mmCIF file of all heavy atoms in Angstrom:
data_model
loop_
_atom_site.group_PDB
_atom_site.id
_atom_site.type_symbol
_atom_site.label_atom_id
_atom_site.label_comp_id
_atom_site.label_asym_id
_atom_site.label_seq_id
_atom_site.Cartn_x
_atom_site.Cartn_y
_atom_site.Cartn_z
ATOM 1 N N PRO Q 51 -1.840 -2.735 8.081
ATOM 2 C CA PRO Q 51 -0.562 -3.394 8.407
ATOM 3 C C PRO Q 51 0.340 -2.661 9.394
ATOM 4 O O PRO Q 51 0.913 -3.272 10.286
ATOM 5 C CB PRO Q 51 0.123 -3.507 7.046
ATOM 6 C CG PRO Q 51 -0.411 -2.355 6.257
ATOM 7 C CD PRO Q 51 -1.823 -2.157 6.723
ATOM 8 N N ASP Q 52 0.504 -1.375 9.214
ATOM 9 C CA ASP Q 52 1.442 -0.613 10.045
ATOM 10 C C ASP Q 52 1.218 0.861 9.752
ATOM 11 O O ASP Q 52 0.367 1.210 8.931
ATOM 12 C CB ASP Q 52 2.896 -0.999 9.700
ATOM 13 C CG ASP Q 52 3.284 -0.548 8.308
ATOM 14 O OD1 ASP Q 52 3.597 0.635 8.135
ATOM 15 O OD2 ASP Q 52 3.244 -1.372 7.366
ATOM 16 N N LYS Q 54 4.141 2.958 9.438
ATOM 17 C CA LYS Q 54 5.453 3.540 9.113
ATOM 18 C C LYS Q 54 5.947 3.253 7.702
ATOM 19 O O LYS Q 54 6.731 4.015 7.153
ATOM 20 C CB LYS Q 54 6.489 3.016 10.105
ATOM 21 C CG LYS Q 54 6.258 3.537 11.510
ATOM 22 C CD LYS Q 54 7.522 3.382 12.341
ATOM 23 C CE LYS Q 54 7.302 3.866 13.754
ATOM 24 N NZ LYS Q 54 7.698 2.874 14.748
ATOM 25 N N SER Q 55 5.521 2.140 7.108
ATOM 26 C CA SER Q 55 6.055 1.780 5.793
ATOM 27 C C SER Q 55 5.507 2.706 4.717
ATOM 28 O O SER Q 55 6.105 2.872 3.665
ATOM 29 C CB SER Q 55 5.706 0.335 5.456
ATOM 30 O OG SER Q 55 4.304 0.198 5.312
ATOM 31 N N SER Q 56 4.374 3.300 4.997
ATOM 32 C CA SER Q 56 3.800 4.306 4.113
ATOM 33 C C SER Q 56 2.777 5.091 4.913
ATOM 34 O O SER Q 56 2.052 4.519 5.738
ATOM 35 C CB SER Q 56 3.107 3.675 2.906
ATOM 36 O OG SER Q 56 2.417 4.690 2.178
ATOM 37 N N ARG Q 58 0.149 6.207 3.831
ATOM 38 C CA ARG Q 58 -1.191 5.994 3.280
ATOM 39 C C ARG Q 58 -2.156 5.278 4.226
ATOM 40 O O ARG Q 58 -3.332 5.606 4.278
ATOM 41 C CB ARG Q 58 -1.122 5.202 1.946
ATOM 42 C CG ARG Q 58 -0.563 3.802 2.098
ATOM 43 C CD ARG Q 58 -0.800 2.956 0.853
ATOM 44 N NE ARG Q 58 -2.183 2.531 0.731
ATOM 45 C CZ ARG Q 58 -2.634 1.693 -0.190
ATOM 46 N NH1 ARG Q 58 -1.807 1.215 -1.100
ATOM 47 N NH2 ARG Q 58 -3.894 1.346 -0.234
ATOM 48 N N TRP Q 59 -1.661 4.270 4.959
ATOM 49 C CA TRP Q 59 -2.579 3.408 5.731
ATOM 50 C C TRP Q 59 -3.382 4.193 6.740
ATOM 51 O O TRP Q 59 -4.595 4.002 6.864
ATOM 52 C CB TRP Q 59 -1.809 2.259 6.410
ATOM 53 C CG TRP Q 59 -0.993 1.461 5.432
ATOM 54 C CD1 TRP Q 59 0.375 1.360 5.397
ATOM 55 C CD2 TRP Q 59 -1.468 0.665 4.329
ATOM 56 N NE1 TRP Q 59 0.764 0.560 4.349
ATOM 57 C CE2 TRP Q 59 -0.346 0.129 3.675
ATOM 58 C CE3 TRP Q 59 -2.744 0.372 3.822
ATOM 59 C CZ2 TRP Q 59 -0.431 -0.694 2.547
ATOM 60 C CZ3 TRP Q 59 -2.845 -0.444 2.703
ATOM 61 C CH2 TRP Q 59 -1.697 -0.962 2.079
ATOM 62 N N VAL Q 108 -4.938 -6.390 5.320
ATOM 63 C CA VAL Q 108 -3.736 -6.086 4.536
ATOM 64 C C VAL Q 108 -2.653 -6.914 5.213
ATOM 65 O O VAL Q 108 -2.181 -6.552 6.291
ATOM 66 C CB VAL Q 108 -3.364 -4.589 4.590
ATOM 67 C CG1 VAL Q 108 -2.199 -4.297 3.640
ATOM 68 C CG2 VAL Q 108 -4.554 -3.707 4.278
ATOM 69 N N ASP Q 133 -5.617 -4.640 -0.801
ATOM 70 C CA ASP Q 133 -4.357 -4.151 -1.392
ATOM 71 C C ASP Q 133 -3.312 -5.240 -1.647
ATOM 72 O O ASP Q 133 -2.711 -5.273 -2.705
ATOM 73 C CB ASP Q 133 -3.745 -3.002 -0.565
ATOM 74 C CG ASP Q 133 -2.805 -2.167 -1.415
ATOM 75 O OD1 ASP Q 133 -3.304 -1.421 -2.281
ATOM 76 O OD2 ASP Q 133 -1.577 -2.291 -1.262
ATOM 77 N N ARG Q 134 -3.067 -6.113 -0.662
ATOM 78 C CA ARG Q 134 -2.063 -7.174 -0.850
ATOM 79 C C ARG Q 134 -2.744 -8.537 -0.957
ATOM 80 O O ARG Q 134 -3.520 -8.901 -0.074
ATOM 81 C CB ARG Q 134 -1.102 -7.204 0.345
ATOM 82 C CG ARG Q 134 -0.336 -5.908 0.537
ATOM 83 C CD ARG Q 134 0.544 -5.971 1.777
ATOM 84 N NE ARG Q 134 1.253 -4.705 1.939
ATOM 85 C CZ ARG Q 134 1.885 -4.340 3.049
ATOM 86 N NH1 ARG Q 134 1.909 -5.159 4.085
ATOM 87 N NH2 ARG Q 134 2.506 -3.177 3.127
ATOM 88 N N SER Q 146 -7.496 -4.171 -5.135
ATOM 89 C CA SER Q 146 -6.183 -3.539 -5.188
ATOM 90 C C SER Q 146 -6.069 -2.665 -6.440
ATOM 91 O O SER Q 146 -7.071 -2.373 -7.094
ATOM 92 C CB SER Q 146 -5.092 -4.619 -5.201
ATOM 93 O OG SER Q 146 -3.826 -4.055 -4.950
ATOM 94 N N ASN Q 149 -0.995 -3.764 -9.869
ATOM 95 C CA ASN Q 149 0.321 -3.531 -9.263
ATOM 96 C C ASN Q 149 1.487 -3.713 -10.230
ATOM 97 O O ASN Q 149 2.538 -3.098 -10.060
ATOM 98 C CB ASN Q 149 0.463 -4.404 -8.022
ATOM 99 C CG ASN Q 149 -0.482 -3.957 -6.929
ATOM 100 O OD1 ASN Q 149 -0.476 -2.793 -6.548
ATOM 101 N ND2 ASN Q 149 -1.330 -4.860 -6.450
ATOM 102 N N ASP Q 183 5.942 -9.154 0.625
ATOM 103 C CA ASP Q 183 4.735 -8.494 0.105
ATOM 104 C C ASP Q 183 4.598 -8.849 -1.377
ATOM 105 O O ASP Q 183 5.455 -8.474 -2.185
ATOM 106 C CB ASP Q 183 4.886 -6.970 0.301
ATOM 107 C CG ASP Q 183 3.685 -6.184 -0.211
ATOM 108 O OD1 ASP Q 183 2.801 -6.771 -0.877
ATOM 109 O OD2 ASP Q 183 3.641 -4.965 0.044
ATOM 110 N N ASN Q 185 2.821 -7.596 -3.518
ATOM 111 C CA ASN Q 185 2.813 -6.384 -4.349
ATOM 112 C C ASN Q 185 4.228 -6.012 -4.773
ATOM 113 O O ASN Q 185 4.460 -5.595 -5.912
ATOM 114 C CB ASN Q 185 2.216 -5.204 -3.576
ATOM 115 C CG ASN Q 185 0.719 -5.294 -3.465
ATOM 116 O OD1 ASN Q 185 0.086 -6.080 -4.167
ATOM 117 N ND2 ASN Q 185 0.136 -4.490 -2.593
ATOM 118 N N ALA Q 186 5.191 -6.155 -3.853
ATOM 119 C CA ALA Q 186 6.576 -5.798 -4.171
ATOM 120 C C ALA Q 186 7.082 -6.657 -5.332
ATOM 121 O O ALA Q 186 7.805 -6.176 -6.214
ATOM 122 C CB ALA Q 186 7.458 -5.972 -2.940
ATOM 123 N N PHE Q 189 5.412 -5.150 -8.399
ATOM 124 C CA PHE Q 189 6.022 -3.869 -8.797
ATOM 125 C C PHE Q 189 7.324 -4.162 -9.548
ATOM 126 O O PHE Q 189 7.603 -3.590 -10.594
ATOM 127 C CB PHE Q 189 6.343 -2.988 -7.567
ATOM 128 C CG PHE Q 189 5.161 -2.649 -6.684
ATOM 129 C CD1 PHE Q 189 5.313 -2.477 -5.304
ATOM 130 C CD2 PHE Q 189 3.892 -2.483 -7.218
ATOM 131 C CE1 PHE Q 189 4.235 -2.160 -4.478
ATOM 132 C CE2 PHE Q 189 2.798 -2.160 -6.404
ATOM 133 C CZ PHE Q 189 2.978 -2.014 -5.029
ATOM 134 N N ASP Q 216 10.188 -5.562 5.289
ATOM 135 C CA ASP Q 216 9.033 -4.837 5.847
ATOM 136 C C ASP Q 216 8.894 -3.396 5.330
ATOM 137 O O ASP Q 216 8.286 -2.566 5.983
ATOM 138 C CB ASP Q 216 9.092 -4.796 7.391
ATOM 139 C CG ASP Q 216 9.048 -6.183 7.990
ATOM 140 O OD1 ASP Q 216 8.438 -7.085 7.401
ATOM 141 O OD2 ASP Q 216 9.651 -6.372 9.064
ATOM 142 N N TRP Q 217 9.483 -3.089 4.240
ATOM 143 C CA TRP Q 217 9.443 -1.730 3.684
ATOM 144 C C TRP Q 217 9.998 -0.740 4.710
ATOM 145 O O TRP Q 217 9.583 0.424 4.750
ATOM 146 C CB TRP Q 217 8.021 -1.304 3.337
ATOM 147 C CG TRP Q 217 7.314 -2.032 2.263
ATOM 148 C CD1 TRP Q 217 6.539 -3.137 2.422
ATOM 149 C CD2 TRP Q 217 7.226 -1.687 0.870
ATOM 150 N NE1 TRP Q 217 5.992 -3.509 1.204
ATOM 151 C CE2 TRP Q 217 6.388 -2.629 0.249
ATOM 152 C CE3 TRP Q 217 7.790 -0.658 0.090
ATOM 153 C CZ2 TRP Q 217 6.084 -2.606 -1.114
ATOM 154 C CZ3 TRP Q 217 7.479 -0.612 -1.265
ATOM 155 C CH2 TRP Q 217 6.642 -1.584 -1.853
ATOM 156 N N ALA Q 242 10.847 1.638 -4.600
ATOM 157 C CA ALA Q 242 9.501 1.096 -4.821
ATOM 158 C C ALA Q 242 8.370 1.908 -4.188
ATOM 159 O O ALA Q 242 7.216 1.740 -4.564
ATOM 160 C CB ALA Q 242 9.442 -0.353 -4.352
ATOM 161 N N ASN Q 243 8.687 2.742 -3.190
ATOM 162 C CA ASN Q 243 7.643 3.678 -2.725
ATOM 163 C C ASN Q 243 8.281 4.971 -2.210
ATOM 164 O O ASN Q 243 9.512 5.092 -2.171
ATOM 165 C CB ASN Q 243 6.684 3.024 -1.710
ATOM 166 C CG ASN Q 243 7.217 2.935 -0.283
ATOM 167 O OD1 ASN Q 243 8.349 3.297 0.005
ATOM 168 N ND2 ASN Q 243 6.375 2.433 0.609
ATOM 169 N N ASP Q 244 7.440 5.925 -1.849
ATOM 170 C CA ASP Q 244 7.954 7.238 -1.456
ATOM 171 C C ASP Q 244 8.833 7.176 -0.212
ATOM 172 O O ASP Q 244 9.789 7.942 -0.084
ATOM 173 C CB ASP Q 244 6.783 8.207 -1.182
ATOM 174 C CG ASP Q 244 6.118 8.695 -2.463
ATOM 175 O OD1 ASP Q 244 6.621 8.384 -3.575
ATOM 176 O OD2 ASP Q 244 5.085 9.394 -2.364
ATOM 177 N N GLN Q 268 6.234 5.968 -4.900
ATOM 178 C CA GLN Q 268 4.865 5.484 -5.032
ATOM 179 C C GLN Q 268 4.078 5.942 -3.821
ATOM 180 O O GLN Q 268 4.639 6.009 -2.719
ATOM 181 C CB GLN Q 268 4.853 3.945 -5.071
ATOM 182 C CG GLN Q 268 3.485 3.349 -4.923
ATOM 183 C CD GLN Q 268 3.430 1.826 -4.948
ATOM 184 O OE1 GLN Q 268 2.378 1.253 -5.052
ATOM 185 N NE2 GLN Q 268 4.559 1.149 -4.864
ATOM 186 N N ASP Q 269 2.853 6.245 -4.001
ATOM 187 C CA ASP Q 269 1.851 6.572 -2.974
ATOM 188 C C ASP Q 269 1.460 8.046 -2.944
ATOM 189 O O ASP Q 269 0.519 8.400 -2.235
ATOM 190 C CB ASP Q 269 2.243 6.174 -1.532
ATOM 191 C CG ASP Q 269 2.201 4.658 -1.312
ATOM 192 O OD1 ASP Q 269 1.574 3.963 -2.134
ATOM 193 O OD2 ASP Q 269 2.806 4.187 -0.331
ATOM 194 N N LYS Q 289 -2.069 6.354 -6.399
ATOM 195 C CA LYS Q 289 -3.131 5.354 -6.403
ATOM 196 C C LYS Q 289 -4.302 6.000 -5.658
ATOM 197 O O LYS Q 289 -4.160 6.327 -4.471
ATOM 198 C CB LYS Q 289 -2.651 4.076 -5.711
ATOM 199 C CG LYS Q 289 -1.389 3.517 -6.381
ATOM 200 C CD LYS Q 289 -1.041 2.123 -5.913
ATOM 201 C CE LYS Q 289 -0.613 2.041 -4.487
ATOM 202 N NZ LYS Q 289 -0.028 0.733 -4.113
ATOM 203 N N GLU Q 294 -10.134 2.668 -4.088
ATOM 204 C CA GLU Q 294 -9.846 1.327 -3.574
ATOM 205 C C GLU Q 294 -10.685 1.059 -2.315
ATOM 206 O O GLU Q 294 -11.309 -0.003 -2.182
ATOM 207 C CB GLU Q 294 -8.348 1.229 -3.246
ATOM 208 C CG GLU Q 294 -7.892 -0.163 -2.831
ATOM 209 C CD GLU Q 294 -6.393 -0.217 -2.505
ATOM 210 O OE1 GLU Q 294 -5.800 0.830 -2.201
ATOM 211 O OE2 GLU Q 294 -5.822 -1.326 -2.553
HETATM 212 C C1 BGC S 1 1.309 -0.987 -1.005
HETATM 213 C C2 BGC S 1 2.011 0.343 -1.161
HETATM 214 C C3 BGC S 1 2.776 0.693 0.105
HETATM 215 C C4 BGC S 1 3.614 -0.484 0.597
HETATM 216 C C5 BGC S 1 4.224 -0.209 1.961
HETATM 217 C C6 BGC S 1 2.294 -2.037 -0.576
HETATM 218 O O1 BGC S 1 1.695 -3.292 -0.441
HETATM 219 O O2 BGC S 1 0.669 -1.351 -2.209
HETATM 220 O O3 BGC S 1 1.071 1.345 -1.479
HETATM 221 O O4 BGC S 1 3.612 1.775 -0.134
HETATM 222 O O5 BGC S 1 2.847 -1.654 0.674
HETATM 223 O O6 BGC S 1 3.236 -0.053 2.925
#
Side-chain angles (χ1 to χ4, degrees):
D52 68 80
K54 292 199 181 128
S55 66
S56 172
R58 63 167 286 186
W59 306 115
V108 186
D133 202 72
R134 299 177 181 166
S146 193
N149 292 306
D183 180 351
N185 285 346
F189 302 148
D216 298 330
W217 295 90
N243 80 356
D244 285 354
Q268 168 180 192
D269 288 343
K289 303 191 293 191
E294 186 180 22

